[in-house]
Amino acid sequence: MAKTAVLVIAHGSPDPDWLALVESAVRQCRTDLPIRVAYLGGVEGRSISDEVKRLEAAGATTIVVVPLFATAGSNHVGEIRAMLGLDPWPTGETDLIRVPVQARILWCPPLEDHPIVEQIVAERIASLSRLPSQEALLLVGHGSDLPGCHERWEKLLLRLTFRLQNRYAFTAAGYATLRPDTLYEQACSLAQKGEVLVLPLFVSQGYFTRQAIPKRLAGLAYRYEGSAYLPHPLIADWMTQSIRMALVTDIFSQRSMYEHGREKAVEMG
């Protein structure tokens, strides 16, 4: 009987607190399937290849992959898909290492602007905002300098900015990225319209939320807590929903393929 397992893939960090937040969220995920966490780097013995081997050695023939990243616009998401053989291998020189996979992969989308993400952001706004009609919201994402990835980041930030502006009626709302670096410019522009609330869209707190963003906003007045998606308990709910959706979609896909095959067999007599 086919055995299904789950692999959550995160960026990784040498900071044990960063890793603890990820591991805690995964433990809270409500699934009866075996589940492991792999990291792109920073954690010895926990690479994607290491964890795929462990799951396959335990009998997994199907692996649901949950990329714990803010958006498909992250450079790393494309790298992971290529490593797993889901996308073409990059042309030219690359530091990526192919992951030998025997199991069937069911890919889940990253966080994006899932309703759970919007709920987390809304709660953070509620803790920062006092009078929206006199405030300007600034969402901050990592961003990307790569064509394609840059556009995905822009679309995500634009969608969230539009919905949150309509929801709270801020005097103004905008977004910025660290790559390319538009943060200071956008903050200055919004500061002319109201008190600036800065909300970072990062999976977990770390260098970018604690150092990079405050450093680039030095000298400006703004309100900021630096909270990230983790350790919000809803991230575990997002994982749970992602896994269930992948499994349901796979069932319908296989059923459709079976029915199509049966119809072709009937046509051929």
Side-chain angles (χ1 to χ4, degrees):
M1 188 175 189
K3 184 176 180 181
T4 302
V6 179
L7 182 62
V8 177
I9 302 179
H11 184 278
S13 169
D15 182 352
D17 292 337
W18 193 100
L19 301 176
L21 290 176
V22 174
E23 300 283 347
S24 176
V26 173
R27 285 195 299 271
Q28 295 172 56
C29 180
R30 296 186 304 279
T31 179
D32 295 328
L33 300 174
I35 185 168
R36 300 281 305 179
V37 187
Y39 299 97
L40 275 177
V43 189
E44 187 175 353
R46 300 290 300 280
S47 70
I48 298 173
S49 182
D50 291 330
E51 295 299 344
V52 166
K53 287 179 182 177
R54 289 189 178 100
L55 291 175
E56 290 183 339
T61 55
T62 298
I63 299 177
V64 180
V65 174
V66 182
L68 186 55
F69 289 84
T71 173
S74 166
N75 301 358
H76 298 305
V77 171
E79 293 172 350
I80 292 168
R81 287 183 58 86
M83 292 166 67
L84 292 173
L86 300 175
D87 283 347
W89 194 250
T91 57
E93 294 186 9
T94 178
D95 294 329
L96 301 184
I97 300 175
R98 295 180 190 271
V99 176
V101 183
Q102 302 299 321
R104 196 165 57 99
I105 298 294
L106 301 183
W107 178 264
C108 299
L111 288 154
E112 301 291 355
D113 54 344
H114 189 283
I116 281 178
V117 172
E118 187 170 345
Q119 184 175 342
I120 293 173
V121 174
E123 289 182 17
R124 289 160 56 195
I125 288 175
S127 69
L128 276 180
S129 179
R130 296 166 188 158
L131 191 59
S133 62
Q134 297 179 9
E135 298 165 341
L137 175 67
L138 177 59
L139 300 180
V140 184
H142 184 280
S144 172
D145 294 319
L146 296 180
C149 291
H150 173 75
E151 285 76 13
R152 290 189 184 98
W153 264 112
E154 289 276 323
K155 289 178 181 178
L156 166 63
L157 291 165
L158 183 61
R159 290 195 305 269
L160 270 176
T161 300
F162 178 79
R163 292 208 300 269
L164 293 169
Q165 165 72 339
N166 285 341
R167 181 171 178 174
Y168 292 97
F170 289 108
T171 185
Y175 62 85
T177 57
L178 302 182
R179 292 186 180 177
D181 187 0
T182 61
L183 181 52
Y184 189 84
E185 177 185 356
Q186 291 298 322
C188 287
S189 177
L190 288 174
Q192 300 176 27
K193 303 173 183 177
E195 185 175 8
V196 180
L197 311 184
V198 178
L199 268 76
L201 304 182
F202 286 78
V203 171
S204 188
Q205 292 186 11
Y207 166 75
F208 293 108
T209 58
R210 293 171 180 158
Q211 298 183 47
I213 291 175
K215 182 177 180 180
R216 298 183 193 197
L217 292 175
L220 297 180
Y222 61 96
R223 209 176 302 155
Y224 179 73
E225 289 181 350
S227 300
Y229 296 150
L230 290 173
H232 201 294
L234 281 178
I235 291 299
D237 289 350
W238 168 79
M239 292 181 189
T240 302
Q241 291 184 24
S242 297
I243 295 165
R244 290 174 180 170
M245 181 59 69
L247 296 174
V248 168
T249 301
D250 185 52
I251 290 172
F252 278 105
S253 176
Q254 292 195 55
R255 183 178 299 170
S256 177
M257 291 174 61
Y258 170 76
E259 292 176 350
H260 179 71
R262 188 172 60 178
E263 291 172 358
K264 293 295 289 184
V266 170
E267 289 176 5
M268 296 174 67

